Amino acid sequence: MRLVSLSGLTALTLAMKAAASTYDYIVVGGGPAGIITAERLSEANKKVLLLERGSGPTVATGSNHTLTWDDSLTPIDVPGLSSAVGGLDLWNEYICDDTPGYSACVLGGGVTVNYMVFVHPAAHDFNDKWPRGWKWKDVAPAAKRLYKRNSGTTLPSEDGQRYDQGLYSTLSGFFSKLGWKSVDMIKQPNEKHEVYSYPSWNIKDSLRAGPVRTYLPLAEERDNFTLRLQTKVIRLVRSGSKVTGVEVENSAGVREIIKLAKSGRVVLSAGALSTPRVLFNSGIGPKAQIQTAKKTGVTLPPKKDWIELPVGKNLKDHPIFSIVVNTGETWGPLDTASVLNGTSTTNINLYEDKASGVLTQGRHRMIYFSSNVASDGITRYYQGSCAASAQGVVTITQYMTHGLTSTGVLGLSEDGSTVFEQSPYLQTAGDVEAATSFIQGMVDNITDASTGFKLQTYTNTSAILGSLTSGIHYTGTAKMGTDDGRKGGSSVVDTNAKVYGMDNLFISDASIHPDLPTGNSQTIVMVVAEMAAAKILAYKS
Ligand SMILES: Cc1cc2nc3c(=O)[nH]c(=O)nc-3n(C[C@H](O)[C@H](O)[C@H](O)COP(=O)(O)OP(=O)(O)OC[C@H]3O[C@@H](n4cnc5c(N)ncnc54)[C@H](O)[C@@H]3O)c2cc1C
Ligand SMILES: *[C@@H]1O[C@H](CO)[C@@H](O)[C@H](O)[C@H]1NC(C)=O
Ligand SMILES: *[C@@H]1O[C@H](CO)[C@@H](O)[C@H](O)[C@H]1NC(C)=O
Ligand SMILES: *[C@@H]1O[C@H](CO)[C@@H](O)[C@H](O)[C@H]1NC(C)=O
Ligand SMILES: *[C@@H]1O[C@H](CO)[C@@H](O)[C@H](O)[C@H]1NC(C)=O
Ligand SMILES: *[C@@H]1O[C@H](CO)[C@@H](O)[C@H](O)[C@H]1NC(C)=O
């Protein structure tokens, strides 16, 4: 918006100044992966430009959406308000308008708007399908670097108390009767069968954590780091197998080319639903998608420089099934409206004066994990995130996770939006069989006469299976692997996170994950970004 109010001459001077500076690294996208990658590159004395198409969500990064009762905080900062974010005006401002499903176009990406569930990856998340060099023993140091800055917590209230524990107490009674085990999901990340835990949340100092708070300020202290908001990357400018710059568009629709230094590099971190678009727009991907990109009016490289790679294929996500259970108990959801309008004074005072109370906690009260083995011999995992949705009613967000064999396809439409060309959910007989049998077991257990529980809304197994929605944990659209996609393989990036066929183009975001994790995706995305940054720095062209 800023450029609009300037005189044409000043705008031109600014554009020329920007064009004249060249960078060692341009990182495209200020989501969790992009911020972590950019921060680590700048820590290594590189001159780094981080380009984010959205605005900043915190007061420090320029947001005006402050609370009525605290002008240093926005609703996204307060953990207890995370369940209300979806109903606020800022949601529409922050959610991307040109991707399918949900993704967030705001600094911090999905981590800015999500429910903050922070699942430390299990060793098998890497060991089963990631390539050599990316097994748990290899990435564990990267995870350690992340957790040092952004560890997640199951006990965010500064007074050391847990608040609003009715739901936990009801459900822990239910699961312990079934013989499931209570674990600490942070300390025991590998325990993923018939276990339940207090939720681990992305919270630090009683605020929503994540790289906007735990990494970005470190980079901003360095002269060589520049962040530009409201700057959308349209395409890469290429000279054969080399990127020489990026074409960007500001919020007023003004376009500009930003140049790389001679030996500079670009890292794409626009997320699993947007990084593919930047690739298609740059002549990288299936021919049909590049041809669609051409119809959107983008300037493509000459046809001889197109690189055919399976970008958009191997899209994976966790399906969600909703299990709604009326337990007959008296606990209920937090009244976030009265927190927003400032009348919930007890909760607000406890939060403001003591960094304590229910507002320091996220929305869920329990997370459980389990697994089963289908007749194809494959072990598939399940996560249940449990939150109150009405008095005595728990809505279980029942994810199906690691071990899934289904994949979908992400493509481009002629209006420039990315679209699902094939759904990633329940495409294989094994996935359908496993889901049916797991849900059936839950239904049997919940409706057993001894519990006193009743299913609501979806009252039988087929209705629950029919409640399928997106898990918003997309991965795999520019998958990492040793089978070069130009030669019929499935991979878009090699184990240095470098795009096959390009000299200086890397990807660091959820797109490169070749497999789905056992839990929500943000933590593993951050771990992988730490690892990718190290690989990129170590790679000598
Ligand atoms: C509504 C929602 C709820 C979720 N709930 C949870 C949860 O509770 N727990 C959990 O672990 N995970 C959750 N997730 C998933 C998690 O947030 C994502 O896995 C994670 O954010 C992915 O990180 P990323 O860096 O790959 O991409 P993103 O987070 O998508 O970040 C990409 C960034 O790039 C920017 N960008 C995109 N295109 C361009 C461009 N052309 N030019 C410049 N910038 C661009 C975007 O604005 C964005 O900031 C949720 C996601 C959403 C959307
Ligand atoms: C800034 O970047 C340049 C170019 O990479 C580098 O030579 C210089 O050491 C960096 N300076 C600092 C203070 O990091
Ligand atoms: C926030 O408010 C200030 C002062 O009114 C204004 O200058 C600025 O443009 C606003 N920022 C955004 C992101 O709206
Ligand atoms: C604040 O919100 C609560 C809950 O919706 C409502 O009952 C109350 O009337 C509101 N008070 C004011 C002053 O807006
Ligand atoms: C729970 O469901 C499993 C799987 O169907 C079943 O083996 C077990 O007996 C059930 N337990 C109860 C208490 O119903
Ligand atoms: C399951 O529930 C749905 C919706 O309530 C209902 O239409 C359907 O007949 C039920 N199926 C079985 C097998 O009971």
Side-chain angles (χ1 to χ4, degrees), residues 406-446:
S406 298
T407 56
V409 177
L410 184 81
L412 192 67
S413 74
E414 288 184 21
D415 71 357
S417 298
T418 53
V419 289
F420 295 137
E421 292 185 349
Q422 185 187 304
S423 156
Y425 312 114
L426 302 185
Q427 299 290 327
T428 61
D431 284 354
V432 173
E433 177 200 332
T436 309
S437 123
F438 185 79
I439 300 291
Q440 184 64 53
M442 288 299 290
V443 167
D444 292 347
N445 288 170
I446 289 164

Side-chain angles (χ1 to χ4, degrees), residues 239-402:
S239 169
S241 57
K242 232 180 137 193
V243 188
T244 59
V246 296
E247 183 182 28
V248 300
E249 183 177 280
N250 71 11
S251 54
V254 177
R255 292 207 179 178
E256 162 197 347
I257 286 175
I258 305 177
K259 284 190 181 155
L260 268 183
K262 210 161 173 204
S263 56
R265 295 167 167 182
V266 167
V267 183
L268 298 180
S269 301
L273 302 182
S274 287
T275 282
R277 170 174 32 221
V278 179
L279 292 169
F280 301 150
N281 285 355
S282 310
I284 300 169
K287 205 179 275 165
Q289 307 295 353
I290 303 174
Q291 263 147 0
T292 306
K294 191 171 187 178
K295 292 184 190 151
T296 69
V298 76
T299 310
L300 287 171
K303 211 163 186 172
K304 69 169 174 52
D305 288 338
W306 291 8
I307 301 175
E308 275 205 61
L309 282 171
V311 177
K313 311 260 174 90
N314 299 300
L315 166 70
K316 290 191 171 197
D317 188 21
H318 297 149
I320 290 174
F321 306 103
S322 293
I323 307 179
V324 188
V325 187
N326 192 331
T327 66
E329 299 290 340
T330 55
W331 40 259
L334 178 69
D335 174 9
T336 52
S338 66
V339 178
L340 284 163
N341 75 14
T343 58
S344 180
T345 47
T346 308
N347 286 333
I348 291 172
N349 291 343
L350 197 51
Y351 184 71
E352 292 284 81
D353 301 342
K354 301 217 168 79
S356 296
V358 74
L359 295 185
T360 66
Q361 302 180 167
R363 169 176 183 252
H364 299 103
R365 292 291 174 264
M366 172 185 279
I367 309 273
Y368 65 77
F369 296 94
S370 202
S371 67
N372 66 2
V373 185
S375 57
D376 59 10
I378 295 172
T379 304
R380 290 174 179 77
Y381 289 82
Y382 303 85
Q383 176 188 323
S385 299
C386 310
S389 50
Q391 186 180 313
V393 178
V394 52
T395 292
I396 301 172
T397 300
Q398 179 63 68
Y399 298 92
M400 192 177 183
T401 66
H402 184 71

Side-chain angles (χ1 to χ4, degrees), residues 458-475:
Y458 308 106
T459 53
N460 58 49
T461 299
S462 58
I464 293 171
L465 288 169
S467 72
L468 192 157
T469 55
S470 151
I472 328 183
H473 297 153
Y474 310 106
T475 64

Side-chain angles (χ1 to χ4, degrees), residues 79-83 115-117 154 156 162-172 175 185 196-201 203 331-336 347 357-368 384-389 393-396:
L81 289 176
S82 57
S83 59
Y115 286 145
M116 306 184 305
V117 175
T154 62
R162 288 197 172 88
Y163 288 78
D164 187 31
Q165 290 300 293
L167 190 160
Y168 183 89
S169 134
T170 304
L171 286 193
S172 58
F175 284 116
M185 61 187 278
Y196 59 93
S197 173
Y198 294 107
S200 163
W201 291 302
I203 297 171
W331 40 259
L334 178 69
D335 174 9
T336 52
N347 286 333
V358 74
L359 295 185
T360 66
Q361 302 180 167
R363 169 176 183 252
H364 299 103
R365 292 291 174 264
M366 172 185 279
I367 309 273
Y368 65 77
S385 299
C386 310
S389 50
V393 178
V394 52
T395 292
I396 301 172

